Amino acid sequence: MNLHVTECVHQALDGLDIELPSWGFADTGTRFGKFHQDAAAIDIYDKIKDAATVHRLTKACSSMAVHVLWDFSDENLPARVVKSASREGIRIGSINPNLFQDQDFKLGSFGNPSPDIRKKAVDHCLKSIRIATECNSDNITFWFADGTNYPGQDSIRLRKQLFESNLGKCHQSLSPGQKMLIEYKPFEPAFYHTDIADWGMALCLAQKTGPQAKVLVDTGHHYASQNIEQIVAWLLDEERLGGFHFNDRRYADDDLTLGSIDPYQVFRIFTEILAYHRETGTRPEIAYMVDQSHNLKPKIPAMIQTVTWAQELYAKAALVPWKALRINQIKGDIISAEQCLQRAFMTDVTGALASWRKEKGLYPDPLEAYSKSGYEASVTQERKQRRQDLGLNTKTSYA
Ligand code: PSV
Ligand code: MN
C-alpha cells in the first residue's frame, strides 16, 4: 500500500466525527404515509442504543442530535437522556427546537403575525438553549418552516425584521461556547416564499444576530444546479460556516444517502474545507451532522453506509496535492489543476480505510460487522413485542 496515501487518510479520519440524527432511527414517512419497520426505535433510549451501535462499529459518530419535541418529555428529562447516552458511550449533540408542529405555528413561528405566537416560539427556543446547557451541548440548530403559500399573504420585509429581532433575543441567552446554527431551505412546507430560503439570507441574519450565529448547510436544501462547494467556500471565508446536515437529493429535499447521487460534489465540498484549513492554518469548527430519515432502507445499516461514504469521500479529499494544485492554478494550467482533483477523487482508499479501522480495533467493513452482530434480529424481536404490549402502530393493510 502507498505509505503517503495511508498516512494522509489515517490523519484525515482521525479528525472526522459525524453526528447522527435521533430521528433517523425511528419510523418516519412522507406526507403520503409511513412504512413501519419492526426494528425501528420506539423511544429516545432505543435511538441512543442504535446511534451507539453505529459508533461502536465506526468509531466516527460520538454524538447524536435530538429534536426537542420528539425526544424529551416530562418523563424523559435531559439529565436522564444524557445519562443514558453516556452509559452507551456517546454524547447528546445538537439540540433542535421544533417550530413547525404546533397548530399555533400554522402562519409561522418567529415570523408569525401574532405577537403572542412569536413569543411562544421564542420561549421554546430559550427552553431549547437551556436544554442544550443541561446536555452540555454547544449547538442549537434553528430551522424554520416559516413562509407563505400565496402572494400577498404576508409582508416579506416585515417578517425579515421579525426574524432579526427574535434571533437576537435567542443569541443573548447563549452561553459563551454555544452556537446558534441557522439552517436555510428554499421551499417546503412553504410553497410561495420561505423566510430563510438560501445561504445569503441565513448569512445576513447570522451577521446581524451576533458572533455566535453561524450558517448550517443542509446539502438537500438547494436547487438542482446550485454550486454548494462555492457556498461553503464563501461561508468559510466569512467565518460563518457552522455545520452541515448531510444527505443527497435528486429532486428536492429527498433524504437520500449522502453521495448516492453526486459523490464528486461531496468530495468538492470536503476539498474546500481542507483547502481552507491548509491555507489559513486554522481548523474550522464545523459540526458535521447527518440529516437523513430512511423510509425504505433499514435504518442502522443506512446510517453506517452514510458514515462510511462520508469517511471515504473525506479521505479522498485529503489526497489532493495542494502545492501542485496551487502551482497549476497560478500557471493557468487548467487541465493539470483539474487533474489534481480528479486523480484524488479516483484514488482507491478502501485499503487505507480498512487499515485505519484495524488500528482502532474495528472490523474493516462496518456493514458486514453489523450484519454479523445479530443486533438487528435482537432489536426486531424485542421492539416488535414491546410495540404489541404498548398497543402501538400495528400495520395498516387492505383487507
Ligand atoms: C427540514 O427539512 C430539516 O432539514 C430540518 O433540519 C429538520 O430539523 C429536519 O429536516 C427534520 O425534520
Ligand atoms: Mn436539515
Side-chain angles (χ1 to χ4, degrees), residues 23 67 70 96-97 100 141 143 183 185 188 216 218 221 245 247 253 255 291:
W23 54 98
H67 239 286
W70 303 337
N96 292 254
F100 46 91
T141 298
W143 175 67
E183 182 173 357
K185 179 171 178 171
E188 198 214 16
L216 184 140
D218 183 317
H221 293 184
H245 271 178
N247 51 59
D253 187 20
D255 271 18
D291 185 2

Side-chain angles (χ1 to χ4, degrees), residues 50-354:
D50 293 354
T53 299
V54 177
H55 183 49
R56 258 192 299 282
L57 296 169
T58 60
K59 290 252 169 87
C61 312
S62 64
S63 62
M64 182 182 82
V66 286
H67 239 286
V68 171
L69 208 63
W70 303 337
D71 292 326
F72 295 113
S73 62
D74 289 346
E75 217 175 288
N76 304 319
L77 291 169
R80 187 172 166 206
V81 170
V82 167
K83 218 187 223 172
S84 154
S86 112
R87 248 195 326 264
E88 293 291 334
I90 58 169
R91 284 179 302 106
I92 295 302
S94 78
I95 307 294
N96 292 254
N98 189 308
L99 299 160
F100 46 91
Q101 252 177 305
D102 194 305
Q103 291 298 308
D104 275 350
F105 296 146
K106 178 174 165 185
L107 299 181
S109 61
F110 277 22
N112 197 293
S114 150
D116 289 344
I117 295 174
R118 292 199 297 274
K119 182 171 178 320
K120 174 173 172 166
V122 171
D123 285 347
H124 175 68
C125 292
L126 298 179
K127 179 179 158 200
S128 303
I129 295 170
R130 286 195 298 276
I131 291 178
T133 307
E134 285 178 69
C135 293
N136 208 8
S137 165
D138 285 342
N139 296 318
I140 303 97
T141 298
F142 288 76
W143 175 67
F144 301 91
D146 286 56
T148 61
N149 274 11
Y150 307 96
Q153 182 187 324
D154 201 354
S155 161
I156 295 174
R157 196 168 46 82
L158 289 182
R159 287 175 75 105
K160 167 183 174 281
Q161 291 169 7
L162 292 173
F163 268 81
E164 288 167 3
S165 110
N166 289 329
L167 284 169
K169 287 179 196 156
C170 295
H171 193 278
Q172 274 172 13
S173 84
L174 294 173
S175 41
Q178 287 180 328
K179 271 186 252 163
M180 161 191 274
L181 306 179
I182 304 175
E183 182 173 357
Y184 57 90
K185 179 171 178 171
F187 69 93
E188 198 214 16
F191 289 122
Y192 167 61
H193 107 281
T194 293
D195 284 298
I196 311 181
D198 67 24
W199 72 279
M201 297 178 200
L203 175 62
C204 178
L205 287 171
Q207 283 169 338
K208 283 205 169 156
T209 299
Q212 288 162 255
K214 309 278 172 183
V215 178
L216 184 140
V217 177
D218 183 317
T219 44
H221 293 184
H222 300 89
Y223 291 112
S225 64
Q226 253 177 311
N227 185 333
I228 304 178
E229 62 269 27
Q230 181 181 9
I231 295 171
V232 167
W234 275 59
L235 290 175
L236 279 165
D237 202 57
E238 291 294 321
E239 297 181 5
R240 291 286 178 168
L241 178 65
F244 284 95
H245 271 178
F246 282 138
N247 51 59
D248 210 340
R249 68 184 294 288
R250 181 69 185 82
Y251 301 104
D253 187 20
D254 307 329
D255 271 18
L256 302 183
T257 311
L258 174 77
S260 59
I261 303 297
D262 189 354
Y264 193 40
Q265 180 181 70
V266 182
F267 165 88
R268 294 191 305 266
I269 290 172
F270 283 143
T271 301
E272 286 303 330
I273 294 168
L274 293 171
Y276 174 89
H277 185 182
R278 198 187 148 81
E279 284 157 21
T280 62
T282 308
R283 187 189 174 81
E285 265 183 50
I286 299 171
Y288 294 108
M289 300 178 273
V290 174
D291 185 2
Q292 290 171 191
S293 188
H294 294 277
N295 297 317
L296 304 182
K297 283 179 177 174
K299 311 210 175 246
I300 299 172
M303 230 31 111
I304 297 173
Q305 185 185 28
T306 303
V307 172
T308 53
W309 269 107
Q311 289 181 307
E312 188 151 345
L313 294 164
Y314 192 75
K316 284 169 184 277
L319 297 179
V320 171
W322 306 106
K323 244 194 204 154
L325 174 66
R326 191 64 199 129
I327 290 169
N328 290 321
Q329 288 172 345
I330 292 164
K331 283 200 304 203
D333 185 347
I334 303 167
I335 292 184
S336 304
E338 189 182 22
Q339 288 277 94
C340 289
L341 264 60
Q342 288 177 325
R343 285 271 162 251
F345 180 66
M346 297 305 288
T347 306
D348 182 358
V349 293
T350 48
L353 253 90

